[in-house]
Amino acid sequence: MDTRYVDTFVLVAECGSMAEAARRMNITPTALAQRLHALEREFGVPLFSRSGRFVRITEGGARLLERARRFQREVRALKAAVSTEGFPGGLRVGSIRTALGNVIPLALKHIADHHPGLDATVEIGASHELYHQVTGGKVDAAFLVEPPFRTPKSFSWHTLRVEPLVLLAPTALTGIDPDTLLAQEPLLRYDRRTWGGSLADQYLQARNLRPRERFELDSPDGLVTLVEMGLGISLVPDCFRPGTLPPGVAVIPLPRNTLARRLGVLWPHHSTYGRLFETLVAAMDTDASAAT
């Protein structure tokens, strides 16, 4: 069953760029354009309009998009029904960037060890974006920060890591009270628009602290580099693997702090891969218990 033309249409709609979609599918832009033209001839309507380097979906394309996604899900279910493992292949997993250094390698190793014939693609994004990708069926599961609201009952959530809010500071400043440092040193902000970054706001408001802010970015690893360069201090979830921080950066616990980021995995109950995710989180819980 050749579904490449429908898959191409959906990917272009999600990327908003024919060049990016062609890169992800490992085909030439010319081949991708030919597939779209074939679909437009089949349905008798234009599906995209060009806007510079990007494309915008037309009204006819928008009407087709949700049905195309539903068609993809049905095809995957058909493949799963006849697969010896019960999985159709082409697993799509979303992940926040900071999970790439801790939970994602363990998850991919489990898949490779127990399902060697199953290929997977990891899409990187912010937690709020990944949440909508899971609920919208664009990815099969996502490793993200626990949403600050109740998830629908038709989805499963499993916490894998609890990462307390900590202070990153140059090692020369260790031994100084964290609140004193926050009052005196420039603050390097973990993007407050992210669910993990909002924890810093909660801490500062609870302690009635108004630090002098310098830079703001959505990258704990980038913040580590800035702290090492002596540009300030930062409030971030403790998402770092032991031994990975440079010697010039210290992780300082916050006294009387209960704020933490919960990193876990979200997937729909009806997922074709439901059994895989259940065994995956059980194995990762076992590994975490053994490590402690």
Side-chain angles (χ1 to χ4, degrees):
M1 182 184 301
D2 190 350
T3 63
R4 290 175 298 172
Y5 286 45
V6 173
D7 294 339
T8 299
F9 163 70
V10 172
L11 187 57
V12 172
E14 292 176 352
C15 292
S17 165
M18 294 177 64
E20 175 62 16
R23 185 190 66 81
R24 294 192 187 189
M25 300 193 77
N26 197 29
I27 61 174
T28 65
T30 300
L32 183 142
Q34 290 174 346
R35 292 182 184 182
L36 292 182
H37 290 326
L39 280 178
E40 289 175 331
R41 288 195 301 269
E42 179 73 22
F43 292 109
V45 295
L47 300 176
F48 297 99
S49 61
R50 288 189 176 273
S51 178
R53 292 183 301 167
F54 301 96
V55 294
R56 180 171 297 177
I57 195 166
T58 63
E59 182 179 347
R63 289 196 298 268
L64 175 63
L65 183 57
E66 181 53 38
R67 289 173 173 80
R69 287 174 174 154
R70 192 180 309 137
F71 172 76
Q72 286 180 316
R73 292 194 292 268
E74 290 297 328
V75 169
R76 289 158 68 83
L78 285 172
K79 291 181 179 179
V82 297
S83 169
T84 56
E85 280 192 317
F87 303 131
L91 174 65
R92 299 164 302 168
V93 176
S95 174
I96 58 174
R97 196 169 301 278
T98 51
L100 297 177
N102 41 50
V103 300
I104 287 296
L106 297 175
L108 295 181
K109 186 178 187 307
H110 175 86
I111 292 172
D113 289 346
H114 295 85
H115 309 285
L118 181 61
D119 61 301
T121 301
V122 179
E123 300 285 344
I124 309 302
S127 289
H128 64 276
E129 297 169 340
L130 296 173
Y131 174 82
H132 291 297
Q133 288 183 25
V134 175
T135 56
K138 295 181 182 178
V139 296
D140 299 297
F143 292 84
L144 69 163
V145 177
E146 184 176 21
F149 48 81
R150 182 171 296 180
T151 57
K153 293 182 179 180
S154 56
F155 288 81
S156 295
W157 167 264
H158 187 90
T159 300
L160 295 169
R161 287 172 55 94
V162 178
E163 303 168 338
L165 189 70
V166 295
L167 184 68
L168 296 181
T171 52
L173 300 180
T174 54
I176 303 176
D177 176 71
D179 287 0
T180 300
L181 290 176
L182 287 165
Q184 296 177 346
E185 300 294 323
L187 179 66
L188 307 168
R189 276 274 193 177
Y190 182 21
D191 191 343
R192 73 195 80 193
R193 295 171 299 177
T194 65
W195 292 341
S198 66
L199 294 176
D201 262 347
Q202 297 177 47
Y203 181 84
L204 295 172
Q205 291 172 13
R207 309 288 288 181
N208 197 28
L209 294 168
R210 294 178 177 82
R212 175 166 56 94
E213 299 181 12
R214 175 165 278 174
F215 302 122
E216 182 169 357
L217 60 156
D218 181 16
S219 172
D221 289 336
L223 291 168
V224 168
T225 301
L226 296 181
V227 171
E228 184 184 22
M229 296 172 66
L231 296 178
I233 59 178
S234 188
L235 287 168
V236 295
D238 190 3
C239 57
F240 310 103
R241 287 182 296 166
T244 60
L245 290 179
V249 177
V251 174
I252 303 175
L254 299 172
R256 302 177 299 280
N257 170 58
T258 59
L259 295 171
R261 184 177 81 166
R262 286 169 169 76
L263 174 61
V265 58
L266 179 73
W267 73 90
H269 288 325
H270 66 265
S271 172
T272 303
Y273 299 96
R275 178 165 50 88
L276 182 152
F277 299 136
E278 290 170 2
T279 58
L280 172 62
V281 297
M284 295 179 73
D285 283 345
T286 301
D287 291 343
S289 298
T292 55

